Amino acid sequence: MAEIIPSLDKIYKLKVKPQEGELKLLIFLAENLDNTFEVYFNPYMNGDRPDIVLMHKDFGVMIIEVKDYNLDCYQLDEHKHWSVKNDKSFHLISPVTQAIKYKENLYNLHIEKLFEKKIKNFRYLNIVSCAIYFHNASCTQINDFLVTPFSKDINYQKFLKNNIDFIGNDNLNQFDINKLLRKRQLISSSKSFLFTDDLYLSFMRYLKPPVHIIEDGKEYFYSSKQKEIIFETQKKQQRIKGVVGSGKTTVLAARAVQAYKRTKGKVLILTFNITLKNYIHDKISEVREEFPWSAFVISNYHLFINSELNNLGIPIIVPNYLSKDEINKYLEQHYYSNKALFVENKERIKPYDIILIDEIQDYKRLWMEIIKECFLAPEGEYVLFGDVKQNIYNNQISNQDVSTNVLGVTELKYCYRSDFKVKDLAIQYQKEIFKDKYELDSFNSDKLNELQYERNQQGSINYMYLSNTDNISALYTIIYENAINKDIPPNDITILANSVDLLRQFDVFYRYSSNEKTNTMFETSEIIYHLGLNFLKKDKEQWYKDGINLLRHKKDKDEKFAQDRLCILFTLYDLYLKYNERFIKKLSIFCENYFISLDIFLDFRTKYNTEIEEFKEKFNSKNLSGQLEMIRKNKKIHFFMNSGTIKLSTIHSFKGWESDMVFLIIEKKHSKMETSFDEILYTGITRSRSNLIIINFGNEEYRDRLKYLVDEVK
């Protein structure tokens, strides 16, 4: 008998009862699959709520959407969009799209490293399959509705074959279900070499999160003002205004746990910056209380709204004639800021008992109204945290403060994060840059002694100017001499800049110069090559075939292993061209590791130089923008500070985090950041806990301005 999670007894007692089709399928799977199968009902996948997820250790995963639809009541147009008969204006999301979206989110958002594995080897797509069970339709009726009318659409038929299976009510028999599971390799004579134990455990942790116990937390000393907010029971709606380093996120985490203990309800924690998801998770984990992780959803606004639209079956339909910028505006107007859309569907939304929003200065007022009015349970708790001086997206302010939908403000005035010199610089920065825009903070107060621990209160600040902005090696020398050579652990070092391009160049230079790994919130040069190679047609170009043959070993099961080596050598070759003397030996060593000589590889690269350069131009980072955006999102979601390696991030992505040593690279301003450059710079400066080195990389406008500020407090 399969393991049902939660058990059938618990499912029968749920407040929201399962639909007839869901219950029918659950009972069938429980009785007809053996105990090596795990069947998850409505797993709370951080906002995603698929109906059933079936997992078989060593084999794979299947997402099953259950629909009690009477297909006679619906119709499909030529684009396979669903609508109700006699009311073409009422659209609903295709169950196929809904199931595929849940699968995409497992790869793109939820399961760590699965997205990168998919890029390097497309076969990883096969470890998760999708099916739809139509409880009120037979197999023939489903085919007549979804398959046969589009028999001439070859691409659609191929898509169905590779991605989705349909289950009718007459398929609920052991023969048909076993046939389906064998087709998708969930039953097989041999185990999947892709669905490893590590991946299985990653899926299980996500589908069945553990209970947090008191011993998992640690002793933490809160100030009296922090305690007041954490244990507040009367003010169910609050706005917390805190200076940088005042413990806003720490307080948010503790408040979330105490609110859960009071209500035993569902907790929604929202940010704008995706990278804060794990930071908040870590802060909650530090709370010395017992609570189930399944009660907490931690997400950013856009991912949360995307999940809710999919859960509600509301399709996102975008006209295909729009440009990228127009698409973003269209999505904002018709979905993310469309309050009426959510008000209309409020009765179908599953509300949250507690909603906490971090970095509220990044939120549009309409977003706040949508969350509060449509997703908050009656008498629920609604608490906002933020610092208007980190308003890097230039949102509307009123009376020198961010405009919210909560009356009144509770303030956290004291900075506990940074040593004195960094705080002094932040204060001086406010006086010089923000004096006419925001209310100034004063957070070098004696009340810091409220915290019952001692720490070094000095820190260090340095500033330098580099005019040659093409010289990545100079950056490396500065960072290496000021950190690595002084035995500062890589885990304590963070490098921040405005642009990904600069950081990516530095990342590859650093890795192959130092022989150390890095932790980045963006794609590596090797991954860009992988993406380009994946776009090559089946009839590969001759240069690709020759490159694979050079690097393919007899023991390789497929060419993907050789492709990995090719991407690494291409990356090293780019470094060799730009910094010849520095990387010629490194390129030679890697060639030897791959059992070819340096001369043979250089001959191959010279022979096909024109073709390969054309390939690079065709598949450069601009042309891969959609893929790169998803990679960055995935990297941000799975970013952790204690990776043991040096961290590289844009200032935007690192907002809310902190690091002992920060190298802040100041680049030239560009049009998209003109209005918020000062806030971006302030955010970067205040990411440091102790040691800050500001490297001005050719920004003449701020050259003397920054030097003056640093000299004032150094």
Side-chain angles (χ1 to χ4, degrees), residues 19-209:
Q19 295 180 350
E20 182 181 323
E22 292 172 332
L23 191 57
K24 178 78 172 179
L25 182 59
L26 283 169
I27 293 171
F28 173 83
L29 294 174
E31 294 176 347
N32 288 274
L33 298 179
D34 63 38
N35 60 8
T36 62
F37 282 88
E38 300 161 29
V39 181
Y40 296 87
F41 174 64
N42 267 171
Y44 228 79
M45 300 193 311
N46 206 44
D48 281 340
R49 291 192 294 272
D51 294 325
I52 293 173
V53 176
L54 180 65
M55 184 159 69
H56 196 191
K57 189 176 184 296
D58 299 322
F59 297 95
V61 174
M62 178 177 283
I63 297 168
I64 306 177
E65 275 300 289
V66 180
K67 301 300 177 187
D68 286 10
Y69 296 166
N70 178 351
L71 295 182
D72 290 336
C73 297
Y74 300 93
Q75 59 191 4
L76 300 182
D77 63 19
E78 66 275 15
H79 301 295
K80 292 88 178 177
H81 293 155
W82 285 57
S83 61
V84 176
K85 279 186 177 178
N86 303 320
D87 186 5
K88 290 187 177 182
S89 64
F90 184 81
H91 291 279
L92 69 160
I93 196 169
S94 162
V96 174
T97 301
Q98 197 172 22
I100 294 297
K101 186 62 179 177
Y102 287 134
K103 174 178 176 175
E104 288 177 353
N105 285 353
L106 281 174
Y107 283 85
N108 298 346
L109 307 177
H110 299 323
I111 307 300
E112 187 176 4
K113 296 183 179 178
L114 191 55
F115 184 71
E116 194 166 319
K117 288 178 183 292
K118 179 190 74 172
I119 290 174
K120 293 182 177 180
N121 189 342
F122 69 90
R123 288 178 176 82
Y124 275 96
L125 275 172
N126 297 329
I127 67 173
V128 179
S129 54
C130 296
I132 303 169
Y133 169 54
F134 289 96
H135 181 60
N136 292 317
S138 67
C139 179
T140 300
Q141 289 173 312
I142 296 168
N143 279 321
D144 289 344
F145 183 76
L146 280 166
V147 183
T148 305
F150 308 100
S151 58
K152 293 182 180 180
D153 188 336
I154 297 174
N155 290 330
Y156 176 65
Q157 297 297 327
K158 185 178 179 181
F159 169 81
L160 292 180
K161 180 181 177 181
N162 293 332
N163 293 283
I164 203 86
D165 291 292
F166 299 124
I167 304 170
N169 50 27
D170 53 343
N171 294 126
L172 287 193
N173 59 78
Q174 197 164 39
F175 177 82
D176 284 348
I177 293 300
N178 284 349
K179 180 181 177 182
L180 169 61
L181 295 177
R182 277 192 287 269
K183 174 185 175 183
R184 297 303 178 185
Q185 301 296 307
L186 268 77
I187 295 178
S188 176
S189 57
S190 59
K191 297 178 181 179
S192 168
F193 73 93
L194 297 173
F195 196 53
T196 60
D197 287 347
D198 286 345
L199 263 183
Y200 165 74
L201 290 173
S202 292
F203 272 90
M204 189 173 71
R205 280 193 295 269
Y206 214 85
L207 295 169
K208 188 181 179 182

Side-chain angles (χ1 to χ4, degrees), residues 268-279:
L268 172 64
I269 301 174
L270 290 175
T271 71
F272 182 84
N273 185 358
I274 304 174
T275 57
L276 285 179
K277 173 180 173 289
N278 286 329
Y279 184 63

